[in-house]
Amino acid sequence: MAVPKRKTSRSRTRSRRAQWKATTVDLVTVRTPAGTVEVPRRLVRAVERGLIDAELLRR
């Protein structure tokens, strides 16, 4: 495992961590027998197949 040669300063560490940003999830409209629901793209197939209840995803 790599070992740093020097201690990283507090300001350098915190400024590096401050650059991280979360991204919003892409929502896709899916038609179900109960109506239309917006779900994350990765859950579209599961909702279409009925593996996930679409009512739980409504907000």
Side-chain angles (χ1 to χ4, degrees), residues 8-42:
T8 307
S9 69
R10 182 180 291 178
S11 62
R12 181 178 285 271
T13 301
R14 290 183 178 170
S15 65
R16 183 180 64 243
R17 288 179 182 165
Q19 297 302 316
W20 184 86
K21 295 175 182 68
T23 58
T24 58
V25 177
D26 294 333
L27 295 178
V28 179
T29 304
V30 178
R31 290 184 185 172
T32 60
T36 59
V37 180
E38 288 190 350
V39 296
R41 185 175 298 277
R42 62 193 176 95

